[in-house]
Amino acid sequence: MATETIPETWRPALEPVLSTPEARKLGGWLKAEEAAGKQVYPPRGTRLAALALTPLPKVRCVILGQDPYHGLGQAHGLAFSVQAGVRVPPSLVNIYKELEADLGLPRAQNGDLTPWARQGVLLLNNTLTVEAGLAGSHAGRGWDAVTDACVAAVAEREEPVVFILWGSHAKKKASRVPALARASHHLIVASAHPSPLSAHNGFFGSRPFSKTNAFLEEHGRGTIDWRI
């Protein structure tokens, strides 16, 4: 954790969490893993990229992921996103298919969702690191408290926000945050996960992008240009 700079707008929400013994234990554990020669993704300095690209006051939509991609060159700190030039992962292929069906937008040729993040879409994974080749390997190590605090910070704001929850993991995370459960002025758009294993169980046809824009426009928060 010491190698990551907390973006200014997120500090009031995160500093109390990051000062706990549990957070220090997480930081020490990550250092030890890397010192032992294990490859951790995304690289140092990019693990809080979602927060750096999307300042708290600018958040208009939150998309919750589970943990970073575990393949070489994939993860760069944004949920569901990969850098340009990296093969688009299957879940993101399905996201693009739904985007095309929902808004008529042509499918993007790359998987870099940075343009969404810059428009106020917080692409937040529950766990912010992973060991190379081992999906879910850093789950339960302490990231939950950090990312729960991020979700709570957004939920506590007066400005209406859309929370897009794909799959049971995202729904469970949202249910853990009391501030979100109490906040009736936000919109929750929930469906199955875009993974090939579940996309046909309710993700396809869920129209999250048009629902998000309709809500934001209704509440005077503009719309998001979902083109990549």
Side-chain angles (χ1 to χ4, degrees):
M1 294 298 295
T3 61
E4 305 296 315
T5 301
I6 306 170
E8 185 68 32
T9 62
W10 292 94
R11 285 181 185 173
L14 292 186
E15 283 181 339
V17 177
L18 295 178
S19 65
T20 63
E22 291 78 12
R24 289 194 291 272
K25 183 178 179 181
L26 168 63
W29 179 79
L30 282 171
K31 285 182 179 179
E33 289 289 282
E34 292 179 306
K38 295 182 180 179
Q39 183 68 54
V40 175
Y41 298 138
R44 290 185 187 184
T46 66
R47 292 165 189 171
L48 300 182
L51 307 183
L53 286 168
T54 313
L56 178 56
K58 302 293 186 183
V59 176
R60 295 189 286 164
C61 175
V62 179
I63 297 179
L64 296 176
Q66 192 161 345
D67 67 340
Y69 295 122
H70 54 84
L72 178 64
Q74 289 183 306
H76 65 123
L78 302 178
F80 294 102
S81 179
V82 293
Q83 297 184 81
V86 176
R87 183 179 179 182
V88 179
S91 290
L92 186 52
V93 169
N94 285 339
I95 291 170
Y96 285 166
K97 287 179 181 178
E98 179 60 20
L99 183 57
E100 181 180 34
D102 188 3
L103 296 179
L105 297 178
R107 296 180 202 175
Q109 299 304 304
N110 75 81
D112 187 354
L113 303 182
T114 298
W116 293 3
R118 294 193 185 281
Q119 294 181 76
V121 181
L122 181 63
L123 297 162
L124 185 69
N125 278 316
N126 182 53
T127 301
L128 299 185
T129 55
V130 69
E131 184 178 343
L134 295 173
S137 51
H138 289 188
R141 289 288 181 174
W143 280 120
D144 300 58
V146 176
T147 53
D148 282 3
C150 294
V151 174
V154 175
E156 287 165 359
R157 294 186 62 80
E158 293 182 3
E159 296 86 354
V161 171
V162 181
F163 289 82
I164 296 179
L165 311 179
W166 288 329
S168 59
H169 193 276
K171 294 170 191 173
K172 287 176 184 176
K173 181 172 186 63
S175 70
R176 285 205 308 265
V177 181
L180 182 54
R182 295 193 304 264
S184 60
H185 62 298
H186 300 313
L187 174 67
I188 294 178
V189 178
S191 74
H193 194 276
S195 160
L197 297 175
S198 56
H200 289 281
N201 295 328
F203 172 74
F204 289 134
S206 61
R207 305 192 66 194
F209 308 103
S210 60
K211 289 176 181 176
T212 295
N213 275 354
F215 178 84
L216 292 175
E217 189 168 31
E218 178 185 349
H219 289 85
R221 302 211 68 194
T223 59
I224 294 162
D225 183 353
W226 295 102
R227 292 173 295 180
I228 297 295

